[in-house]
Each structure stands twice: as structure tokens, then as C-alpha cells.
Amino acid sequence: MKSFNSGTLFLVLCIIIATYSQKVDAQSCRPSGNIWGRKPPPGQCNQENDSDCCIQGKSYTTYTCSPSVSSNTKATLTLNSFQKGGDGGGPSECDNQYHSDDTPVVALSTGWYSGGGRCHNNVIISANGQSVRAMVVDECDSTMGCDEDHDYQPPCRNNIVDASKAVWKALGVPEDNWGELDITWTDA
């Protein structure tokens, strides 16, 4: 039987550590589960900003995390109304208030919302050669959806910055292109 020398043992150990650390990094934000869509009762899913309504029997992925935040975090900007009666549903999580669509405010995916840790903090959103400062007022829930509390809309993906019309205007995006946009953002 041959014995391992310290060089071989060190090499094997390095390979194991490198393999494990790549798996941990790749799994840093994986789906946490899924929920099944329920058909909304008549008039219960507001599609004001082309919002999707849940589809009966469709599986929707849920997340408890979001990608790591950096000085240039990649995300998808979506359009949301934070006004009473808008497609955002109820009042904002941070202050239990509604906010004008003319004010630059956002909701962040669950992981970025950080249990309310970013409430009333400003973020800087960049796209289209422009930047805008917006205040975090809500969570774009990545863990739940398809129920009355979420206006019968699917859960948010884990990389969403859901923004008021004021944010879209400040970024100079033509109104007929509002809906989804690749952006970067960072804490202000």
C-alpha cells in the first residue's frame, strides 16, 4: 500500500476546498420553493401597469434571498403604482402609507429588502445613461403571492427593483417602453 506524501495530500485538500467553495457560491441564492397559482376572484387583480395575474395551477418559484449587493448590482426594474387603488395592492410595508406615483420610490425583492433594513433608505438606480435616487418604501415579496394580500399577482423574482413612474421618468425611458428594464443599483 502506498502512502500519501504531504504534497499530494495538500493538492487533494485544495481541490476539495475549491470545489466546495464554488458550490457554496453558486448556491448563494437558490429558489426556496414554489407556490401554486390561484385564479383571482373577479376584479381582484389590478393590471394597471401590465401586472401579471396568477394563473390557476401554475407553479411559481419563490425566493428568500437576492443576489449579493455591490456598488453596481444588476437587477430588473419593473413598474409599480404605490398609490391607493394602484396595482401595488396595500399600503407600503415600511410605513403603512401610500405614496404618489410622482415620487421616486421603490420596492425591493425580499432578499434586498432585508426584513425592512433598507426602509426609508435611498438607493441609486442607473440605466439609459441616467441615474436617479429613490427611497425604499416596500418589499416586492419573493416568498409569497397569488393571494389577496399580494393582489393575486405572482411572487417577485429575486432581482427586482419595483419602481414608481417618477423613477422611470427620471431615467428618461420613453413611456411606451415602461415595463421591464435592465438596471444597476446601489445603496446611496
Side-chain angles (χ1 to χ4, degrees):
M1 179 176 258
K2 294 184 180 180
S3 63
F4 284 104
N5 67 28
S6 60
T8 305
L9 185 58
F10 180 74
L11 179 61
V12 169
L13 188 57
C14 286
I15 291 170
I16 291 170
I17 290 171
T19 302
Y20 177 74
S21 66
Q22 287 175 352
K23 285 183 180 177
V24 168
D25 186 50
Q27 294 176 5
S28 62
C29 186
R30 304 196 36 100
S32 57
N34 66 16
I35 60 170
W36 294 101
R38 291 183 277 172
K39 184 178 181 180
Q44 293 297 305
C45 181
N46 186 332
Q47 294 181 288
E48 173 186 359
N49 292 311
D50 295 325
S51 297
D52 293 329
C53 295
C54 292
I55 298 170
Q56 180 73 34
K58 181 177 178 179
S59 177
Y60 295 95
T61 303
T62 59
Y63 294 87
T64 56
C65 59
S66 292
S68 298
V69 175
S70 69
S71 61
N72 209 21
T73 309
K74 292 181 179 181
T76 300
L77 190 72
T78 55
L79 179 60
N80 186 46
S81 175
F82 295 85
Q83 295 184 157
K84 188 170 186 167
D87 66 337
S92 298
E93 286 290 322
C94 292
D95 55 15
N96 202 35
Q97 301 291 316
Y98 292 97
H99 298 270
S100 168
D101 288 337
D102 296 325
T103 305
V105 293
V106 297
L108 299 177
S109 291
T110 296
W112 291 335
Y113 179 71
S114 193
R118 284 195 166 86
C119 277
H120 297 124
N121 291 348
N122 287 323
V123 295
I124 298 173
I125 300 163
S126 300
N128 205 32
Q130 304 289 325
S131 291
V132 60
R133 182 181 294 256
M135 184 171 60
V136 177
V137 296
D138 207 351
E139 173 184 17
C140 193
D141 199 337
S142 305
T143 66
M144 298 177 66
C146 299
D147 57 15
E148 185 176 5
D149 286 346
H150 298 90
D151 200 32
Y152 293 95
Q153 295 175 10
C156 281
R157 296 185 306 270
N158 67 341
N159 66 336
I160 297 297
V161 176
D162 208 15
S164 65
K165 292 177 181 178
V167 171
W168 286 84
K169 287 177 185 174
L171 291 173
V173 179
E175 198 167 328
D176 58 341
N177 290 336
W178 290 4
E180 286 197 6
L181 180 68
D182 290 335
I183 61 158
T184 58
W185 73 276
T186 190
D187 292 306

